[in-house]
Amino acid sequence: MPEAVAAAPQHELAAGALPKLELKNLFIGYTDRSGKTVSAVEDVSLTLANKPGVGELLVFLGPSGCGKSTILKAISGLMEPSAGQILIDGQPVSGTGRDRGMVFQSYTSFGWRTVLGNVEYGLELQGVPKAERARQAMEILEQVGLKDFAHALPKQLSGGMKQRVAIARTLVNKPRLVLMDEPFGALDPQTRWGMQSLILDVLRRQDNTVIFVTHDISEAVFLADVVFVLSHRPAKVLHRIEIPYFPERDPSLRQKPEFKQLENHLLDILGSLQVKGNIRVGL
Ligand SMILES: Nc1ncnc2c1ncn2[C@@H]1O[C@H](COP(=O)(O)OP(=O)(O)OP(=O)(O)O)[C@@H](O)[C@H]1O
Ligand SMILES: [Mg+2]
């Protein structure tokens, strides 16, 4: 195991400081029409420190179907856990809230609204006046490189551009906690790398905390401050891996030995999961 990841300590919290996020003994199940329950998440506990002015990016990495989206839905308030607690800034989550924003696994723009109309949507719900919401939406569109497409319809955009609309639509509400469920899964590697840099850039500026789900090991190492590796369903936390601070997270980082070492370490962990599970998993 590389030295950088040998110890995986919990974050030291300053005395009295509330963690940004706490999952305490979380169990989540789905019940079908016949009343049969499938357990998706089992006894997941974790703590994510609050780092004001820095933000933090947590990655959930785990096999397909293990329960990653389910955990995100519970944090967003779209699903209620069967047992356990979710605390954000020390407050229990109950239902959805503007402090959290979710970017879903599939594109979720409104097809009949323009790009600008899509990004303005959340501000409209909040009753922000028209001129102000257009200003805020254009500011975010500029950050994600879509200013020139503000008046296009989603169907006129490429997959990467549509996903940038979804990201802008979430970020415009300035959520403290951004939940991203494999947002770049459908993109080609080059577009994906561009989007990863964009996310780091925008999110550091906004000082949000991000919870990011991916199957992609390189993406996890590139983006994360901390990676949680989950087991097959029902999801349990198998490893907490702190990613060392890389001052420059630019594309050349992927060639550095310490980056490759971390990738290999995660690959070993996920590889051992495949063997133990004795089934082919979509990593
Ligand atoms: N609406 C649902 N009703 C019943 N079971 C569900 C539902 N959604 C998910 N599940 C079950 O819960 C388990 C976890 O699903 P989840 O979508 O959280 O997995 P995931 O880790 O996000 O997978 P992927 O990487 O493929 O997106 C799956 O095995 C699935 O069978
Ligand atoms: Mg999923």
Side-chain angles (χ1 to χ4, degrees), residues 204-254:
R204 298 271 184 254
R205 250 187 279 167
Q206 284 203 359
D207 182 24
N208 325 69
T209 300
V210 185
I211 304 184
F212 193 102
V213 165
T214 185
H215 286 147
D216 186 305
I217 290 172
S218 167
E219 182 163 87
V221 178
F222 190 74
L223 291 177
D225 296 299
V226 56
V227 176
F228 286 90
V229 181
L230 302 177
S231 66
H232 284 290
R233 186 185 68 79
K236 296 181 208 61
V237 175
L238 295 180
H239 299 269
R240 175 185 178 122
I241 295 163
E242 305 279 335
I243 304 294
Y245 175 69
F246 296 119
E248 296 292 333
R249 293 208 190 197
D250 60 29
S252 69
L253 178 61
R254 294 173 211 280

Side-chain angles (χ1 to χ4, degrees), residues 63-70 73 105 181-182 213 215:
S64 181
C66 79
K68 302 179 296 296
S69 296
T70 304
K73 281 185 213 155
Q105 210 164 349
D181 193 356
E182 290 191 63
V213 165
H215 286 147

Side-chain angles (χ1 to χ4, degrees), residues 112-166:
W112 64 92
R113 282 181 168 238
T114 62
V115 166
L116 183 64
N118 266 284
V119 179
E120 281 185 16
Y121 180 72
L123 302 174
E124 246 174 83
L125 291 184
Q126 293 171 45
V128 176
K130 193 169 176 19
E132 178 56 18
R133 61 179 193 248
R135 191 193 66 73
Q136 290 184 26
M138 285 305 281
E139 194 180 300
I140 296 282
L141 282 173
E142 183 157 21
Q143 287 179 23
V144 301
L146 284 180
K147 202 170 145 222
D148 294 344
F149 291 84
H151 302 292
L153 287 169
K155 66 177 180 199
Q156 297 170 296
L157 307 179
S158 72
M161 291 159 90
K162 279 185 199 149
Q163 203 51 313
R164 277 186 273 163
V165 175

